[in-house]
């Protein structure tokens, strides 16, 4: 029997339905293999409000995955009351200061506060939610064109913050691998390659999430070429992927590109 993967967009930067609230950030509800997983929470309680409208009970989650410790991916956890696993990279609480605004881009809760409210699981290594759903841990960064592309913060010493806590997760299906990213500070191509490596899977059904591509430049064009060469069946662009980059994906991969929006449900 082919297992279907259900992904519901609880929040994204984009929305075309006035019924839902939305904000800068991302939050996805994923249901598959008998597990219910929340991927990121956005900034506020908007993801919870939208979940209620979509008849999704977030009190019955099996796990929460935090892609990385930026405010627009984890501050919403403050509004979630469920004692479940919170899976993240150990560096998720490190200081990160926006190069653009000078503001703290980190989380609004301490590690201790989160550990009291969730079963905090920190792992640099891949971590299995089950044998089909895997938190990627620290992603290897091997290609040249994504190096330095997504570094938008300083650490507490004024050095460039490397976002080594930027992770994602993968779902193994009979039709191929689904790779989900929050912001892809590690590089979306690096993320897919690492997911392929740790799952021993070459066939990619879908790549979904923020790609952190702002301009149609060398990195964007090489990313699109990678998706083509890797024969990714579907690309779902979200969050920190600019409109002009989305348009370029649609131009070059028209049948394989979709722009996700708040409130939309996908069955893969």
């Amino acid at each position: 029997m082919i297992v279907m993967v259900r992904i519901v967009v609880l929040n994204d930067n984009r929305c075309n339905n006035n019924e839902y609230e939305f904000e800068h950030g991302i939050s996805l509800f994923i249901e598959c293999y008998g597990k219910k997983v929340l991927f990121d929470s956005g900034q506020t309680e908007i993801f919870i409000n939208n979940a209620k409208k979509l008849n999704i009970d977030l009190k019955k989650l099996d796990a929460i995955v935090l892609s990385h410790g930026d405010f627009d991916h984890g501050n919403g956890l403050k509004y979630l009351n469920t004692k479940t696993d919170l899976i993240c990279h150990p560096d998720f609480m490190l200081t990160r200061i926006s190069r653009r605004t000078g503001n703290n881009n980190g989380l609004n809760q301490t590690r201790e506060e989160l550990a009291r409210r969730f079963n905090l699981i920190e792992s640099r290594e891949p971590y299995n939610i089950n044998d089909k759903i895997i938190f990627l841990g620290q992603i290897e960064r091997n290609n040249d064109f994504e190096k330095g592309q997504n570094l938008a913060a300083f650490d507490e010493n004024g050095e460039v913050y490397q976002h080594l806590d930027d992770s994602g997760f993968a779902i193994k299906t009979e039709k191929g691998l689904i790779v989900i990213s929050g912001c892809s500070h590690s590089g979306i191509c690096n993320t897919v390659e690492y997911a392929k490596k740790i799952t021993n899977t070459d066939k990619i059904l879908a790549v979904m999430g923020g790609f952190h591509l702002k301009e149609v430049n060398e990195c964007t064009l090489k990313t699109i070429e990678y998706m083509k060469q890797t024969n990714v069946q579907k690309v779902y662009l979200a969050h920190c992927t600019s409109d002009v980059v989305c348009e370029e994906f649609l131009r070059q991969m028209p049948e394989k590109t979709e722009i996700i929006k708040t409130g939309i449900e996908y069955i893969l």
Side-chain angles (χ1 to χ4, degrees):
M1 182 180 68
I2 296 179
V3 175
M4 307 303 290
V5 178
R6 179 188 181 215
I7 302 177
V8 184
V9 185
L10 300 183
N11 176 67
D12 184 70
N13 297 21
R14 300 175 175 92
C15 183
N16 58 3
N17 187 329
N18 292 332
E19 183 179 354
Y20 304 112
E21 305 170 69
F22 68 102
E23 63 185 354
H24 178 80
I26 191 170
S27 181
L28 305 174
F29 173 79
I30 298 103
E31 189 172 12
C32 61
Y33 297 108
K35 298 292 185 180
K36 296 178 180 180
V37 179
L38 179 71
F39 181 78
D40 284 351
S41 65
Q43 301 181 46
T44 69
E45 72 273 27
I46 278 177
F47 77 107
I48 297 175
N49 299 339
N50 288 337
K52 291 176 181 176
K53 294 175 183 177
L54 292 160
N55 296 314
I56 293 171
D57 187 355
L58 296 179
K59 294 179 181 179
K60 296 182 178 180
L61 293 171
D62 294 290
I64 302 166
V65 171
L66 180 64
S67 66
H68 62 300
D70 281 9
F71 74 100
D72 50 336
H73 294 261
N75 275 4
L77 293 173
K78 182 178 182 179
Y79 305 92
L80 192 61
N81 294 306
T82 175
K83 188 68 176 179
T84 191
D85 292 347
L86 172 59
I87 306 165
C88 52
H89 186 285
D91 291 351
F92 79 105
M93 285 304 303
L94 291 183
T95 299
R96 61 209 65 195
I97 305 298
S98 170
R99 297 171 68 179
R100 182 175 61 86
T101 66
N103 296 331
N104 175 22
N105 272 4
L107 302 181
N108 58 3
Q109 296 177 88
T110 65
R111 176 182 269 102
E112 291 71 28
E113 288 172 325
L114 290 169
R116 283 195 296 269
R117 296 177 48 244
F118 304 99
N119 178 30
L120 189 58
I121 298 171
E122 302 177 52
S123 181
R124 293 184 193 275
E125 302 301 318
Y127 179 89
N128 286 14
I129 296 173
N130 64 21
D131 63 341
K132 303 290 187 182
I133 309 172
I134 304 104
F135 170 71
L136 298 180
Q138 187 161 319
I139 294 166
E140 294 177 355
R141 303 179 179 190
N142 293 325
N143 69 52
D144 292 327
F145 63 90
E146 290 181 307
K147 289 181 179 178
Q149 177 70 16
N150 302 318
L151 307 177
F154 295 115
D155 65 17
E156 59 187 0
N157 298 315
E159 302 294 330
V160 173
Y161 183 68
Q162 300 291 330
H163 272 105
L164 295 181
D165 60 317
D166 175 80
S167 189
F169 80 116
I171 304 169
K172 295 195 285 187
T173 78
E174 296 89 342
K175 295 179 287 185
L177 198 63
I178 299 171
V179 181
I180 300 180
S181 68
C183 247
S184 299
H185 292 287
S186 301
I188 190 60
C189 303
N190 282 327
T191 302
V192 174
E193 279 299 298
Y194 190 58
K196 288 167 57 180
K197 175 182 176 179
I198 67 172
T199 61
N200 195 29
T201 304
D202 286 328
K203 186 177 181 181
I204 308 297
L205 174 62
V207 181
M208 176 182 286
F211 283 18
H212 216 280
L213 297 172
K214 305 298 185 180
E215 302 172 358
V216 180
N217 54 19
E218 179 186 18
C219 185
T220 293
L221 295 176
K222 287 189 174 182
T223 298
I224 295 173
E225 186 60 28
Y226 171 86
M227 297 295 166
K228 292 178 181 178
Q229 294 295 325
T230 311
N231 196 28
V232 174
Q233 294 303 298
K234 196 79 173 185
V235 174
Y236 297 89
L237 302 173
H239 178 43
C240 53
T241 315
S242 73
D243 290 342
V244 292
V245 170
C246 290
E247 290 167 5
E248 187 64 21
F249 268 87
L250 286 166
R251 187 182 72 81
Q252 293 203 37
M253 302 175 62
E255 303 300 323
K256 294 186 174 183
T257 299
E258 186 159 346
I259 316 303
I260 77 170
K261 297 180 176 65
T262 302
I264 301 296
E265 176 181 302
Y266 299 96
I267 304 296
L268 304 179

